Amino acid sequence: MLYFISLILLGLIFLLRKLFSNYYFTPTGFLAITWITFIFLKFLVASDYYFSLHAVVLFVIFIFSFFIGELFMFLYLSKERNSIILQFIDKVNLEADLEIFKQKKVIRTFNLILIVLGSLSFLGSLLYLQYFVRYFGSVSNVLTAGWALRGALEEINIPLIIRAILLLGYSSIILILVHFILYNKFRWFFLLPFISMLIMGITQAGRAGFMMILFQIFIMSFWRQIFKNVTSETGKLSFVKGPEYKMIKSSFRLVLFVAIIFVGGDMLRSQDFSFNSEIIEQGLTSFKAYLFGGIAAFCTYLNEYRFQDLGWGRFSFSSLYELLGIHKNTLGIYVNYLRISSVDPNEDTNIFTAFRQFMDDFGIVGTVLLMMILGALSNVFFRKAVKGDIASIAFMIVLYTFIFHTPLLSITAHTSVLISAILPYVLIKMIKIKY
């Protein structure tokens, strides 16, 4: 019954997004459908995982707050239709932008930026790998270290300059996706940041980073279709021919690839590549806990909640706080693992949805205000992105990646993600201003 109520409430929020857009997957629509999908699938495959009324109420309040923020911004900009503010915020000259990005010198500049960022990212990953090779003795020892790699992360001191270079990786990938939207062409240097992320993933025995990249490619296809429709002046399309339907169809491939990466990551950590049923089952169980454990652990967290001093960003922006020397970051944000299953006491996790990070930093009221601000900000960029503004599309790819991860954690904990929301946008704007 609780699952049904939560799905109905989130479904109503999804329908309310029609107040300000014809698109199904507005930021509010995408946030609502993401949570609907996670909760529905949790009911199907992880019904033994905790799910409480207290948690549902907070989920709905926070998601509704995001909707309110987006609605308020829409109403404000609609009211100020002839104001200078609206002209500055909402102005998109698609025809002029297309002429700029068709210029050969602009294409060369864009390619040069991608080569420089990709090369730096690749170089940074090799230097990063070198420190692990020194620690373990050889590359082969690194590849066979398994779980020991996670422990080494706490002991190996990576110089600040290398960490700074690695922060450019996701920005490089976002710009590559934008380049592909604009020109629909593959270039050899596109591979550099992807190889860099692969090296990082193997070195850290991690998988979340590469799964995030897969999702960014997935969401890029959605914005690519919107950009294609806008530039070809196709007009309003039916749902079956629209970008949302194509995105839903491709989501099945996404789940398959993510599951393969997750199971492969488990094999890398355990160093067991036997592909027997036990190993695959273990990997799929870990995959289930990763997808739905955050929601269940949030329920456990609420049951055990005790008021503590607010972190004021320490949890939501943990990597940035460490980089600035404000607070030492812990691997995985939270070190305490909480039980997630009512059946198996051994199933636990240390991810608690994005909302625990926000609540630990800003409290419940602060989280409501934060979600309203994010909703308002999302509407500003969304209304420009659907008109073909390429810089706004770059920002929306990052924003939708953040939204998709909210049932798991807040990816704002990674400084490289924060930079990827800003740097590509700024670089694209600078190209437009210069040419």
Side-chain angles (χ1 to χ4, degrees), residues 95-152:
E95 187 175 340
D97 288 354
L98 291 176
E99 287 301 317
I100 290 173
F101 285 103
K102 285 179 181 177
Q103 297 179 38
K104 290 185 178 181
K105 56 184 177 181
V106 172
I107 296 174
R108 286 195 296 267
T109 300
F110 205 158
N111 289 344
L112 179 61
I113 291 173
L114 292 179
I115 291 172
V116 170
L117 289 179
S119 299
L120 285 173
S121 179
F122 181 66
L123 175 63
S125 67
L126 292 178
L127 294 173
Y128 186 84
L129 174 62
Q130 185 181 26
Y131 278 84
F132 282 82
V133 171
R134 290 177 183 174
Y135 183 88
F136 286 99
S138 67
V139 173
S140 61
N141 287 343
V142 172
L143 294 175
T144 57
W147 276 105
L149 289 167
R150 306 297 286 179

Side-chain angles (χ1 to χ4, degrees), residues 153-154 163 314-323 325-335 413-415:
L153 287 170
E154 297 285 350
R163 293 164 61 192
R314 179 163 61 91
F315 299 98
S316 303
F317 310 103
S318 55
S319 294
L320 179 61
Y321 271 45
E322 181 180 32
L323 186 67
I326 300 174
H327 191 275
K328 175 68 175 175
N329 186 23
T330 56
L331 187 63
I333 306 173
Y334 294 103
V335 295
H414 304 293
T415 308

Side-chain angles (χ1 to χ4, degrees), residues 10 40 51-52 73 79 85 120 126 143 147 213 226 237 246 260 275 279 302 343 382 385 394 399 405 407 411:
L10 292 173
F40 179 69
F51 197 58
S52 68
M73 181 58 71
K79 182 180 178 181
I85 295 176
L120 285 173
L126 292 178
L143 294 175
W147 276 105
I213 293 171
I226 289 180
L237 298 171
K246 294 180 179 180
I260 291 172
F275 280 98
I279 291 298
L302 292 177
V343 175
F382 179 80
L399 178 65
H405 282 81
I411 59 174

Side-chain angles (χ1 to χ4, degrees), residues 294-346:
I295 295 175
F298 185 79
C299 298
T300 307
Y301 157 75
L302 292 177
N303 290 335
E304 301 178 2
Y305 178 77
R306 298 291 183 274
F307 180 78
Q308 57 184 3
D309 292 337
L310 298 179
W312 299 112
R314 179 163 61 91
F315 299 98
S316 303
F317 310 103
S318 55
S319 294
L320 179 61
Y321 271 45
E322 181 180 32
L323 186 67
L324 297 176
I326 300 174
H327 191 275
K328 175 68 175 175
N329 186 23
T330 56
L331 187 63
I333 306 173
Y334 294 103
V335 295
N336 58 320
Y337 282 69
L338 297 183
R339 182 175 170 179
I340 58 178
S341 173
S342 60
V343 175
D344 187 352
N346 295 318

